[in-house]
Amino acid sequence: MSFQPEVRESIRLFKRRYTFPKHPAVQGIDIPYGQEGRQGTVYQIKEDNTRNKAALKVFRERFKNKNQVNLSEQLKNYSSFYGLSACLRSVIEEGEHARLIGQYDDLEYSLIMPWIDGPTWADILMGEQTLSKETCLRISCMLAFLLKELEEAGIAHCDLSSSNVILPFLQENARPNFAAIELIDIEELYAPELSEPKALPGGSPGYAANYVKDGVWSKDADRFAGAVLLAEMASWHQEEVCSLKADDFSYFDTDEMQKETERYKKLLDALQETLGEQAAKLFKQAWKSNSLEDCPTFSEWFELFPEHVRNFVIISHEKYMASKKPSVPLGTMSLDTLLRIAAAFEGLGNKRAAHSEYQFIMNQFPEQKAVVEELQMLLNEDEENGRPELIPAHYLEAAQHFEKLQDWNTALIFYTRCSQLPSVDFTTKEELSIIIEELQNQIRAEAEQQSTAEKLKQIAEEQEKATAAALAEPLETRQAERPKFNVQQFFFNNWKWMAGTVTAVCLGIGLYYMYQASQEKKWHDYIKLGTEAFSQRRYSEAEQYIQKAIDKKPTEDLYTKMATIYISQGQNQQAIQYLSDLKLKKELSPKNTEANYLMGRAYFIETNYNEAIPYYEAAYKDKKNKYHQDAIRDLVISYASINQLKKANTLVEQLQGKDNKSKAFVAYLKGDLYKRQGKGTEAVDSFEESVDLDPANKKYIKKLIEAYINNNKTNQTDDSTKTKTYENAISLANSLLREDYTNIDYLNLSGQLYYEYGLFAEDKKQKAKSQNLYKEALNAYNQVTDLGIQERNTILNTGILYEKVGDKAKAEATYKKVIKQNPVYGHAYFVYGMFQIKEKNYKKALPLLKKVIQINEDPTDVNLAKERIKEMKVKKVLI
């Protein structure tokens, strides 16, 4: 199954739960926050219950590569370089994510990386954002400095473009863990230690020299594209430069590279005005070059900037590097703590790890001369001097050992130390932060329990001492005098200590029962507080209270409450594991209806319907439970999703709608089942019923419109009925837009509806009507793009509609735009190729149709492209 995430959808990666947030720039429709690139799509994902963000890069099929695993390991070594934070990455493989990849094969060899906030240079170009001259100088100087540093280290990006440069410098409240300027899409990074990629980009449009055709992988690879970017950035404060840009992604058009066009001359003049004559000479040198070696170095570019700008960039760089290398590296661990770690390694028999710690201590605490001398003697004796090799696996093994011994404090020290090692990758750091937090909570909980126990023990000890003191004095007196035993005299003489004893016993019994009562009250209080927090959606707080209640007195009801909290937080896999472990330990009955429903629900939300069904079926058997109808509902959807439509149809009849809203939902489910079975008329009837019962539900209206469109594509109805259906659908679509006229989903639906109706009218030779309908569709799609959406299907549909209304120039410009933004979108090449055939531009059509065959996305397009090429050759129109 292809991976097409939705907003708020949950995904588990490297034992952490993430969700896909909504795109902040898109209003009226839920679109995941992502950006399409040449090799794939990068989505922002947010870790549940934290502020941590990450980037998930999903590659297109042709760019998926087993080598990503080795490459990522190699690239981690470069993540400490200024501006290369994107090198810290982990690869999603089948070994650790078998179930996820089994469901979405697109995700194999995808990457998880840091999410870097800030606009790309492409965002600046696209938004035509006005920047001051000083800001432009700083940005371009930052890029020159970054590329100079890389060039001097023998490193090159190899695919520089406006989309691959991020500027955290321009982001409000920028996080300090990123440089002021960062490079992304670093899969083709050149470095002497790296292996050459199998496929290299031929250069990004608007930034590649004409002599770079098949891609280049060398230390000089960035010189031409870097020169163009630097010139753009430095000159962007001039309005005339902004207004002349070729498109939203580059100042230059692909066809004018290295030609003396108006754009080139204007940029050259602007650069000279901004940075002086020498800057213009350097840009001219790059523009006229015949090879990358002919282009100026980035050291030459950096020296051109005014001194105050260079100082600003250097200070910014120094601050960032200082934040990455604190005065006491790897956290705030004291000398005593580090010595304790080394001693623990010695005790575990891991001499290599212990000596690495000793070497680290010597390097970091040279002022502790006595300690250094003693360690020097120890290391000299064993001849193990050298560079400290701090291996994360050693710390993890030690931490796990101390965890098994329930020595939480020592385990915490080792986990913390491991999280601070420079060789630890992104996902491991994230995972360690969770473990550290759990251990801290464990230590706090035990401290609370110990504090209570110590108080009770103190009271008991004081009572015992009082009783012993009361008994001791009379006993000594009796031993000295040895009088005859007299009961009355005994009671008279010893009433004090006897009263004390009785009081102590009574007090002890009372304290015991008071303690038990207080614990019972505290247990009920925890449950009450947890329930209140849950009702107010304070899930983390609810989890803490319910866990405290479980620690005091576990019950099956509390276990299911905890699982409900996990599911509400989106931690579905954790809920499944939690309930499964309890059942395995026989602490939870396998017949517990609520637990079975929750297991089913967790799998259901994860869209793992095959796993959900058995649990739902178990919960469904209990007719009296409160989840009975919910189980039926989810079972119907689960059966339908795995194409067990007969079971779904049988079960949906058992759903009972008590009011119009619930009856409408039942009708909606029936309509969805009919749609899946290809029963278009029945689907329309059911969706109409759902809209009649709940006319305010926009989801039902949308589904009804889609059913109308699909049904009208068939031959099941006559022309007059189709016309009436289209008119009804348009009326419904307009009702949606009246309430939310900027809703992109509704605008897209309206555009599709008018387009389909236009095709119908065109087929019936109603030219005037079809033209009006096409114009309405065009208007809807243009509103979508005006709202900032650059979704490829929408733009392509706009081009098709321009062609339909006879505006061929705009149609062609739109086709070019969508191909430039989506260079591997096969259907766009097909549509543009067919356009060229209609225009009898057969030589232009040929490479476009060949591209369709090369990309091979849609078999239908590929077959038609082959047929058209064959026809052109037979008719000899290519001569």
Side-chain angles (χ1 to χ4, degrees), residues 515-750:
Y515 174 70
Q516 292 297 322
S518 70
Q519 294 303 303
E520 186 73 12
K521 182 179 183 301
K522 189 171 283 188
W523 183 71
H524 285 291
D525 287 345
Y526 284 147
I527 295 172
K528 182 182 177 183
L529 290 167
T531 305
E532 288 176 356
F534 179 82
S535 65
Q536 295 171 18
R537 299 186 179 183
R538 303 195 310 272
Y539 298 126
S540 296
E541 190 177 331
E543 182 181 343
Q544 291 174 12
Y545 283 126
I546 297 302
Q547 186 57 57
K548 287 180 179 179
I550 290 171
D551 292 340
K552 288 193 173 297
K553 186 171 68 176
T555 65
E556 290 201 358
D557 181 56
L558 286 175
Y559 290 144
T560 53
K561 282 183 186 294
M562 182 62 83
T564 305
I565 292 169
Y566 287 144
I567 292 170
S568 300
Q569 290 176 300
Q571 298 173 358
N572 301 303
Q573 291 293 339
Q574 188 169 344
I576 292 166
Q577 191 65 51
Y578 179 73
L579 293 173
S580 298
D581 289 345
L582 289 168
K583 287 184 177 183
L584 191 65
K585 296 174 187 174
K586 298 185 178 179
E587 295 177 23
L588 186 62
S589 169
K591 295 182 179 179
N592 186 303
T593 300
E594 187 171 7
N596 283 326
Y597 172 76
L598 291 170
M599 286 281 280
R601 186 68 184 162
Y603 278 122
F604 179 86
I605 296 169
E606 294 285 294
T607 65
N608 192 341
Y609 302 113
N610 285 310
E611 294 284 354
I613 285 171
Y615 292 104
Y616 275 142
E617 287 175 338
Y620 158 70
K621 288 176 184 177
D622 184 358
K623 309 292 183 186
K624 295 180 180 179
N625 81 84
K626 62 180 180 179
Y627 296 108
H628 187 246
Q629 286 287 301
D630 291 337
I632 294 175
R633 177 201 65 205
D634 290 353
L635 261 176
V636 170
I637 297 169
S638 299
Y639 284 142
S641 298
I642 62 173
N643 215 30
Q644 292 187 11
L645 300 177
K646 187 175 180 181
K647 285 186 177 181
N649 280 323
T650 303
L651 205 56
V652 76
E653 299 300 332
Q654 297 181 35
L655 279 171
Q656 300 166 0
K658 295 180 180 178
D659 52 30
N660 281 352
K661 282 188 179 292
S662 57
K663 289 176 183 176
F665 180 72
V666 174
Y668 163 75
L669 276 182
K670 288 180 179 178
D672 187 59
L673 285 173
Y674 284 131
K675 179 185 172 185
R676 290 172 186 269
Q677 296 171 82
K679 298 179 179 180
T681 303
E682 292 88 340
V684 166
D685 292 341
S686 292
F687 286 137
E688 283 179 339
E689 183 183 351
S690 67
V691 171
D692 290 340
L693 288 165
D694 190 2
N697 192 310
K698 296 179 177 60
K699 179 181 179 181
Y700 299 162
I701 296 172
K702 185 171 175 286
K703 285 292 181 182
L704 178 56
I705 294 171
E706 290 171 350
Y708 279 149
I709 293 172
N710 291 331
N711 213 25
N712 271 7
K713 289 180 180 179
T714 68
N715 296 320
Q716 296 176 355
T717 52
D718 55 50
D719 290 349
S720 61
T721 304
K722 284 186 178 182
T723 301
K724 185 178 179 182
T725 301
Y726 277 126
E727 297 294 343
N728 288 340
I730 287 171
S731 177
L732 288 169
N734 287 336
S735 72
L736 291 174
L737 285 168
R738 274 196 297 273
E739 292 190 32
D740 190 357
Y741 65 91
T742 61
N743 186 304
I744 292 165
D745 202 16
Y746 300 160
L747 286 167
N748 272 321
L749 185 60
S750 179

Side-chain angles (χ1 to χ4, degrees), residues 185-203:
D185 283 353
I186 43 76
E187 279 72 34
E188 288 84 23
L189 191 77
Y190 171 85
E193 298 83 7
L194 297 177
S195 303
E196 183 173 353
K198 290 182 180 179
L200 287 169

Side-chain angles (χ1 to χ4, degrees), residues 253-447:
D253 189 76
T254 308
D255 297 335
E256 63 181 317
M257 300 308 292
Q258 296 191 275
K259 297 176 183 176
E260 293 196 15
T261 61
E262 181 188 354
R263 285 196 187 95
Y264 164 71
K265 291 174 181 176
K266 181 59 192 174
L267 192 64
L268 196 66
D269 291 343
L271 190 61
Q272 180 168 337
E273 185 180 328
T274 303
L275 278 174
E277 186 177 345
Q278 185 59 28
K281 284 183 179 179
L282 290 186
F283 184 59
K284 192 172 183 179
Q285 178 184 339
W287 196 255
K288 299 291 184 181
S289 65
N290 294 313
S291 69
L292 292 167
E293 292 78 5
D294 294 341
C295 300
T297 66
F298 292 112
S299 292
E300 293 176 84
W301 278 108
F302 182 68
E303 292 302 320
L304 289 176
F305 288 89
E307 185 177 0
H308 76 280
V309 177
R310 281 184 283 133
N311 288 339
F312 172 83
V313 172
I314 291 169
I315 291 169
S316 173
H317 168 259
E318 288 174 350
K319 284 182 179 178
Y320 170 77
M321 297 308 289
S323 72
K324 302 292 280 187
K325 295 179 180 178
S327 56
V328 181
L330 308 183
T332 57
M333 285 191 170
S334 66
L335 173 62
D336 289 341
T337 303
L338 294 173
L339 287 169
R340 179 180 170 186
I341 290 171
F345 274 135
E346 293 270 18
L348 293 172
N350 192 340
K351 193 174 181 180
R352 179 184 176 188
H355 284 209
S356 290
E357 274 296 341
Y358 289 143
Q359 290 164 21
F360 177 82
I361 292 167
M362 289 167 57
N363 293 340
Q364 297 304 315
F365 297 94
E367 71 281 1
Q368 301 289 335
K369 294 182 179 178
V371 175
V372 170
E373 287 175 6
E374 187 176 341
L375 293 179
Q376 186 68 55
M377 289 174 62
L378 172 67
L379 294 177
N380 283 340
E381 286 174 7
D382 293 309
E383 298 181 354
E384 288 200 14
N385 268 314
R387 184 180 177 183
E389 187 179 5
L390 306 172
I391 301 171
H394 292 166
Y395 295 84
L396 292 175
E397 288 169 7
Q400 289 159 8
H401 169 79
F402 288 110
E403 264 196 292
K404 288 177 183 176
L405 297 176
Q406 296 190 350
D407 185 350
W408 312 122
N409 286 295
T410 306
L412 178 62
I413 289 171
F414 274 93
Y415 278 128
T416 303
R417 176 73 166 136
C418 183
S419 71
Q420 298 164 345
L421 299 180
S423 56
V424 172
D425 61 38
F426 172 72
T427 50
T428 304
K429 281 186 179 181
E430 296 285 292
E431 187 175 343
L432 284 170
S433 68
I434 290 283
I435 295 171
I436 289 166
E437 186 178 354
E438 287 175 353
L439 278 177
Q440 288 170 337
N441 290 336
Q442 176 75 25
I443 291 167
R444 277 195 292 269
E446 287 196 358

